[in-house]
């Protein structure tokens, strides 16, 4: 048998070996973390101007365009996979196929999880060039989930640009973070119709005021709606109908180039004075927030539950819309529950209600906050009529200064004439109501309806707002139909967009080519009726996560390795303590 010293040496040797094993495990951990590192690291804003970084992992790298190339003369195409949907983006943005006069429809739900999305109609290499989608896209009731956009470009959404197009019948889930001009569904829409679309994607812009002079316009469904040369192009004016937003919309800042942020649309621009952009039967449930602006005294920059702002020409009609999301701006002049800032020669906001909180925190001299409209701005001609008819507000309205009201915050002049005492605006205020506790103070007899007042908005109690008398008066302004009906605690909107899913007769009966994916035309209960107490459905069921699978695997492996390393370390400590004890015992010769 060996001596006690020999045994101590053996224990020390074993200890050294275990230390080496621990180092090896640590090295293995590092290798695993590198191997399973996320494919998309967090880039800074400036880095994303590099097209190489932006296009590193685009969905178009995996695009399938065979569905189109096999039959280019077809009038209708059906897409069933994410690769085919990426093929639509590739065809439009890089090959100039605009699908004018053609229909592209979905035959199944699409999951885009895993790759950066290149918007349909936005060329990342020549992004100033026009490459819009001009056809009809019919989602047929299906869902496009996992939308992921993170870059510093502009006009970023599921669709980048659409001209004279029709989009309808689908749901979008995911996340969009970009420089400016951001939305969940469409970044730039010209002379187009959007109908029966629901957005769950959160939308965020990166550029703050002063970053390149860009305007961080953003909308839950669409950022910009622009009508230019409608008659000359043989087109119709833009229509937004039956749109719903559950995503949160936030902009970092708005600059001198104009802009707005809205739950449905960021900015509306009607270039023809005899035309009107229509927004009807739209609902917002998400929060809307504008962080800052270098130009808080420019009144046309606004934040609204439905529409952020409009141009000072053309006409705008917002009707049968509701907002229950909170709307706030840190430094914008105009904040409203339905529309932030509205202008035009003869515009209207009718049969709408707001139940979300409205907070305009701009400097006192310019701040305007309203439960329905933040501010009415005179048109470029100086002669303007705004009709606010049969609307009600139950949301809390707060802000700075005197321009705070339950219905319309303020009116202002055009151009350099910002004197609100000479706005040149006639406001028609008919059959509007608000609850007494919804606003701290109201200036309705002073600034709000200074020219051409018809009937002042009526304050009522929480119990009275849902009374038969109030509902009757809300409906009295339209002799052809009733817009409101008794709700749970407040009037609900009766009118809803049609349930057309774009299915042909055979498919609707289960006999068509995509009968296996035919969806029910029965809408969820929360979409059937608009109500101030409607609750946004739980977003936990969204088939999208910001954390890639490889990161999850790396974390799991790291935890397991750490547990092993901890066990080895404990064993090392035990053997070292035994070694110290052995060394402390004298040998027989020493005794």
């Amino acid at each position: 048998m060996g001596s006690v010293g020999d045994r101590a040496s053996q224990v020390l040797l074993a200890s050294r070996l275990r230390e080496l094993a621990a180092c090896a495990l640590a090295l293995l951990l590092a290798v695993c973390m590198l191997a399973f590192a996320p494919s998309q690291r967090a880039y800074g804003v400036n880095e994303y101007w590099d097209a190489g970084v932006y296009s590193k992992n685009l969905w178009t790298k995996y695009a399938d365009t065979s569905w189109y190339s096999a039959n280019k003369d077809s009038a209708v195409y059906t897409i069933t996979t994410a690769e085919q949907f990426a093929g639509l983006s590739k065809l439009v943005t890089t090959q100039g196929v605009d699908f004018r006069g053609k229909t592209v429809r979905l035959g199944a739900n699409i999951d885009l999880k895993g790759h950066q999305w290149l918007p349909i109609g936005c060329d990342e290499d020549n992004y100033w060039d026009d490459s819009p989608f001009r056809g009809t896209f019919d989602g047929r009731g299906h869902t496009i989930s996992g939308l992921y956009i993170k870059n510093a470009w502009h006009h970023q959404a599921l669709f980048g640009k659409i001209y004279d197009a029709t989009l309808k019948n689908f749901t979008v889930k995911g996340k969009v973070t970009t420089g400016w001009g951001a939305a969940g569904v469409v970044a730039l829409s010209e002379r187009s119709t959007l109908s029966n679309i629901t957005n769950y994607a959160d939308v965020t812009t990166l550029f703050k005021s002063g970053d390149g002079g860009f305007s961080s316009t953003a909308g839950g469904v669409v950022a910009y709606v622009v009508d230019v040369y409608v008659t000359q192009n043989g087109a119709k004016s833009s229509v937004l109908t039956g749109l719903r937003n559950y995503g949160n919309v936030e902009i970092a800042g708005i600059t001198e180039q104009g802009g707005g942020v809205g739950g449905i649309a960021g900015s509306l621009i009607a270039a023809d004075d005899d035309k009107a952009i229509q927004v009807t039967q739209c609902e917002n449930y998400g929060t809307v927030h504008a962080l800052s602006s270098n130009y808080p005294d420019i009144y046309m920059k606004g934040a609204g539950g439905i529409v952020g702002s409009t141009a000072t020409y053309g006409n705008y009609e917002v009707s049968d819309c509701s907002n229950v999301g909170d709307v706030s701006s840190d430094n914008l002049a105009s904040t409203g529950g339905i529309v932030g800032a509205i202008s035009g020669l003869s515009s209207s906001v009718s049969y709408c209600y707001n139940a979300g909180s409205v907070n305009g925190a701009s400097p006192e001299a310019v701040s305007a906050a309203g439960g329905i409209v933040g501010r009415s701005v005179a048109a470029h001609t100086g002669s303007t009529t705004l009709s606010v008819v049969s609307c009600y507000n139950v949301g809390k309205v707060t802000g700075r200064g005197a321009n705070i009201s339950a219905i319309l915050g303020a009116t202002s002049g055009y151009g350099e004439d910002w004197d609100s005492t000479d706005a040149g605006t006639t406001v028609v205020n008919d059959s509007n109501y608000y609850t007494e506790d919804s606003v701290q103070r109201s200036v309705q007899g002073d600034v709000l309806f200074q020219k051409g007042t018809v009937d002042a908005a009526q304050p009522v109690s929480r119990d009275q707002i849902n009374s038969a008398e109030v509902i009757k008066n809300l409906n009295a302004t339209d002799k052809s139909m009733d817009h409101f009906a008794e709700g749970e605690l407040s009037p609900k909107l009766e009118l809803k967009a049609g349930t057309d899913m774009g299915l042909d007769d055979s498919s609707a009966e289960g006999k068509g080519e995509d009968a296996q994916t035919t969806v029910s035309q029965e809408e969820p209960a929360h979409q059937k009726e608009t109500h101030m107490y409607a609750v946004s459905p739980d977003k936990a069921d969204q088939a999208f996560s910001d954390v890639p699978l490889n990161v999850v695997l790396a974390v799991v492996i790291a935890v397991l390795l750490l547990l092993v390393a901890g066990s080895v370390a404990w064993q090392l400590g035990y053997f070292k303590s035994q070694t110290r004890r052995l060394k402390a015992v004298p040998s027989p010769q020493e005794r």
Side-chain angles (χ1 to χ4, degrees), residues 437-457:
D437 59 352
S438 64
V439 65
Q440 295 176 347
R441 57 189 181 277
S442 181
V443 292
Q444 290 158 323
D446 184 13
V447 177
L448 181 60
F449 302 116
Q450 45 192 291
K451 305 225 175 187
T453 297
V454 176
D455 293 310

Side-chain angles (χ1 to χ4, degrees), residues 201-374:
D202 291 333
V203 177
T204 306
T205 65
L206 299 172
F207 286 142
K208 298 180 180 179
S209 296
D211 289 348
F214 297 116
S215 171
S216 292
T217 297
V221 177
V222 55
Y224 294 94
V225 177
V226 181
D227 279 5
V228 180
Y229 306 124
V230 174
T231 303
Q232 292 89 323
N233 282 274
K236 297 180 180 179
S237 298
S238 292
V239 175
L240 310 180
T241 182
L243 308 181
R244 296 162 292 275
N245 176 62
Y246 293 94
N248 298 321
V249 187
E250 181 176 88
I251 57 173
I254 292 181
T255 68
E256 75 276 14
Q257 293 186 3
V261 54
I264 299 297
S267 296
L268 307 181
I269 304 171
D272 301 309
D273 285 343
D274 60 337
K275 302 295 181 181
I277 293 177
Q278 297 181 13
V279 182
T280 179
Q281 300 181 43
C282 295
E283 308 166 45
N284 177 61
Y285 299 90
T287 61
V288 177
H289 182 52
L291 292 177
S292 65
S293 171
N294 281 352
Y295 302 87
D297 57 341
I298 297 183
Y299 298 151
M300 284 314 300
K301 303 177 187 305
I306 300 297
V307 176
S309 66
T310 74
T312 57
Y313 33 81
N315 296 290
Y316 308 93
E317 299 174 0
V318 181
S319 65
D320 296 283
C321 294
S322 63
N323 172 63
V324 300
D326 294 339
V327 182
S328 61
S329 60
D330 293 349
N331 204 28
L332 293 187
S334 309
T335 309
I338 300 297
V339 182
I342 190 170
S343 185
L345 301 180
S346 181
S347 298
S348 63
V349 180
S350 57
Y351 310 106
C352 297
Y353 75 78
N354 172 64
S357 65
V358 178
N359 181 28
S362 299
E364 292 186 12
V366 298
S367 178
I372 301 299
V373 176

Side-chain angles (χ1 to χ4, degrees), residues 534-559:
V535 179
S536 173
D538 189 358
K539 297 181 183 179
D541 63 343
Q542 296 187 22
F544 176 80
S545 172
D546 286 334
V547 183
L549 179 60
N550 53 1
V551 175
V552 176
L553 292 174
V555 171
V556 172
I557 292 175
V559 171

Side-chain angles (χ1 to χ4, degrees), residues 41 133 151 172 189 241 308 331 351 372 428 430 463 469 489 491:
R41 69 179 177 88
F133 176 80
N151 57 51
V172 176
S189 173
T241 182
N331 204 28
Y351 310 106
I372 301 299
V428 178
D430 192 2
D463 293 332
E469 180 183 0
L489 294 173

Side-chain angles (χ1 to χ4, degrees), residues 23-106:
C23 292
L25 285 173
L27 180 60
L28 178 60
L29 172 62
V31 171
C32 288
M33 292 299 290
L34 289 174
F36 289 97
S39 58
Q40 298 167 343
R41 69 179 177 88
Y43 291 94
V45 173
N46 293 331
E47 290 180 273
Y48 262 106
W49 286 110
D50 180 1
V53 172
Y54 175 65
S55 62
K56 182 179 180 181
N57 202 24
L58 285 174
W59 247 115
T60 47
K61 302 290 184 182
Y62 310 91
D64 174 11
T65 59
S66 61
W67 54 270
Y68 171 78
S69 58
N71 192 1
K72 295 183 178 180
D73 296 328
S74 178
V76 180
Y77 301 92
T78 300
I79 289 174
T80 59
T81 70
E83 289 77 10
Q84 291 175 340
F85 192 61
L88 177 62
S89 176
K90 185 174 183 178
L91 288 166
V92 176
T93 60
T94 66
Q95 299 182 22
V97 181
D98 60 17
F99 289 89
R100 190 177 318 194
K102 297 177 180 293
T103 297
V104 179
R105 63 188 188 182
L106 292 183

